[in-house]
Amino acid sequence: MALKYVPILFCPQKPLLEAPDLGSYRGRIVLDLRSSKLKCFALDDASTQRGFVIVEDEKPGAKTSITGKIDGDGTTDSKAFHKDLNLLPKPLSITNLSPYPANGSNVRIAYQGNPGAYGEDAALKAYPNCETVPCDQFEAAFNAVELWLVDKAVLPIENSVGGSIHRNYDLLLRHRLQIVREVQLVVNHCLLALPGVTMQEVKRVFSHPQALAQCEMALTNLGIIRVSADDSAGAALMVASRGKKDMGAIASARAAALYGLDILKEKIQDEDDNITRYLVLAREPIIPGTDRVYKTSIVFTLEEGPGMLFKALAVFSLRDINLSKIESRPQKGCPLRVVDNSNGGSAMYFDYLFYIDFEASMAEQRAQNALEHLQEYAGFLRVLGSYPMDIVV
């Protein structure tokens, strides 16, 4: 039996239960639950109030207008609806589903360090108009995202000279944030000092341990004492605030401009091609696609047995999926695994977590099949994120 709506006028004398507001539509839906028949009334901002009640269709195929008049040919004049249609929610477009704004406006990004740190440079590369929020430690940036103090966090995961930042690999597993993007940043270490100070006057240089390690040969040749600091920009701030001529800092050119320091030497790092890879973390994952090159990061453990790591890696090779990174970390909760040997005794081995980045999107069937296959060998498997690769350095 076909059903339709016809208008009625009403003046409610009973309390009406109001349902939640429906998005951007200005009307409200209220139900009279005490009536013997369920009625639905639509209230808008106009002075007149229209209502609708479900009734049987007197003429199959006929249409009823807003005034209740059925045209002779079964059509209806819906001019009265034209104004209300503009109030309906608009369909989502692909831009509404974008994982991040094009220019990063209205986005708060946390990073480790003081203003002028390389982490802030990475955030501004990914989101040029974002609001950056400095954090004293890596874990504070994770917590800021989880507590909704910021929208995302940008944290380093590896450097082409210094290698992996193991602390952040451990924090990725401890927290439940999702990788939504990667940023590759060219690092230009500069030797900074107070205005008017020469390089010969600098006896001590402060910076993050990674930055000092990347400039080890250059600093050794200069005969400068290396002193560790929490971050490179913080070292520049300390030199500027203490005002001692024998102090210098290894930091970025932007940090020199922020704190009023002179650049004594640019590109003081041992390797000219110095690139740091950053991960952008958010509370929710993005919807992976196939419109660009994607990368997926996972972490897993393996069951005991010969050739288990070979079998785990083969699930990607069988599907022509390239692995761009493999990292292993001992499990902190239970670092040792006891394995019985042929003599009836027992042997103890380290138990590892394996972090892998592979070049495929989780929207691709081959990636889904690979992880389904991997579960046959893995005791634990977690997808850390599937996100667009940064192909612009």
Side-chain angles (χ1 to χ4, degrees):
M1 181 186 305
L3 299 178
K4 67 180 181 182
Y5 292 99
V6 297
I8 64 170
L9 298 176
F10 70 97
C11 180
Q13 300 297 328
K14 302 176 182 179
L16 298 178
L17 177 63
E18 180 176 332
D21 192 1
L22 299 180
S24 60
Y25 184 57
R26 293 167 57 191
R28 295 175 297 163
I29 303 299
V30 292
L31 301 177
D32 184 358
L33 299 180
R34 301 201 298 178
S35 173
S36 60
K37 294 184 178 180
L38 183 62
K39 298 180 180 181
C40 177
F41 305 101
L43 306 181
D44 56 23
D45 294 338
S47 57
T48 61
Q49 298 175 334
R50 303 183 183 93
F52 300 91
V53 60
I54 300 176
V55 297
E56 291 186 11
D57 192 351
E58 299 88 358
K59 180 180 178 182
K63 299 178 182 179
T64 306
S65 68
I66 189 63
T67 60
K69 178 180 178 181
I70 304 176
D71 297 335
D73 59 354
T75 61
T76 182
D77 182 10
S78 59
K79 292 181 179 179
F81 270 122
H82 288 178
K83 183 180 71 173
D84 292 341
L85 288 177
N86 295 327
L87 304 178
L88 294 174
K90 299 297 187 295
L92 290 176
S93 65
I94 190 64
T95 56
N96 299 123
L97 299 176
S98 175
Y100 43 83
N103 60 359
S105 58
N106 301 321
V107 177
R108 288 169 55 85
I109 309 293
Y111 66 93
Q112 188 272 333
N114 286 275
Y118 291 108
E120 186 178 31
D121 291 341
L124 293 173
K125 179 187 176 183
Y127 307 94
N129 296 326
C130 71
E131 177 186 352
T132 55
V133 180
C135 299
D136 58 349
Q137 299 294 332
F138 290 133
E139 190 159 13
F142 277 84
N143 292 333
V145 180
E146 292 178 330
L147 296 175
W148 293 74
L149 300 176
V150 297
D151 301 298
K152 297 176 175 67
V154 175
L155 295 168
I157 198 67
E158 60 179 332
N159 177 264
S160 59
V161 178
S164 299
I165 292 89
H166 296 134
R167 175 60 176 165
N168 285 340
Y169 272 105
D170 296 338
L171 291 174
L172 278 175
L173 189 64
R174 179 180 302 177
H175 296 265
R176 301 296 297 182
L177 299 183
Q178 301 290 324
I179 305 173
V180 297
R181 192 174 181 180
E182 70 170 0
V183 182
Q184 297 194 53
L185 183 72
V186 176
V187 176
N188 177 20
H189 288 311
C190 302
L191 178 58
L192 312 181
L194 293 173
V197 173
T198 64
M199 190 177 298
Q200 291 71 25
E201 294 179 277
V202 177
K203 304 301 180 184
R204 296 175 296 161
V205 65
F206 296 79
S207 193
H208 188 273
Q210 283 272 352
L212 295 175
Q214 294 165 19
C215 305
E216 182 176 3
M217 293 178 60
L219 296 176
T220 300
N221 293 335
L222 292 173
I224 298 177
I225 299 174
R226 297 176 287 276
V227 183
S228 296
D230 288 338
D231 68 282
S232 58
L237 173 61
M238 181 171 56
V239 171
S241 60
R242 293 189 181 181
K244 295 184 177 181
K245 292 185 177 183
D246 66 335
M247 293 176 58
I250 301 294
S252 66
R254 198 165 66 86
L258 284 174
Y259 302 115
L261 299 176
D262 283 350
I263 300 177
L264 301 183
K265 185 178 181 180
E266 290 193 57
K267 291 189 176 181
I268 196 172
Q269 63 265 21
D270 298 334
E271 302 291 337
D272 290 336
D273 296 328
N274 189 352
I275 300 173
T276 299
R277 177 172 169 249
Y278 289 81
L279 299 179
V280 180
L281 307 174
R283 290 178 291 273
E284 300 293 336
I286 64 171
I287 301 175
T290 57
D291 56 328
R292 64 184 78 177
V293 182
Y294 271 74
K295 183 182 291 185
T296 300
S297 298
I298 63 173
V299 57
F300 61 92
T301 60
L302 291 174
E303 301 291 348
E304 180 60 34
M308 292 301 291
L309 181 57
F310 169 79
K311 295 176 183 178
L313 300 181
V315 306
F316 301 100
S317 176
L318 291 173
R319 295 166 177 85
D320 294 325
I321 298 177
N322 183 47
L323 301 182
S324 58
K325 182 174 177 62
I326 304 175
E327 183 82 19
S328 62
R329 297 284 294 155
Q331 290 199 58
K332 290 191 174 182
C334 48
L336 295 178
R337 174 183 293 183
V338 178
V339 182
D340 291 333
N341 59 24
S342 58
N343 297 325
S346 62
M348 302 182 69
Y349 301 98
F350 271 100
D351 206 3
Y352 288 96
L353 290 160
F354 296 95
Y355 293 83
I356 284 183
D357 294 342
F358 61 87
E359 296 176 3
S361 168
M362 284 306 299
E364 299 180 58
Q365 189 62 46
R366 60 173 183 158
Q368 299 173 23
N369 293 341
L371 294 192
E372 183 179 0
H373 192 177
L374 179 60
Q375 286 182 318
E376 297 179 11
Y377 315 116
F380 161 78
L381 172 63
R382 175 179 159 193
V383 178
L384 300 172
S386 188
Y387 47 91
M389 289 177 57
D390 186 8
I391 57 178
V392 179
V393 179

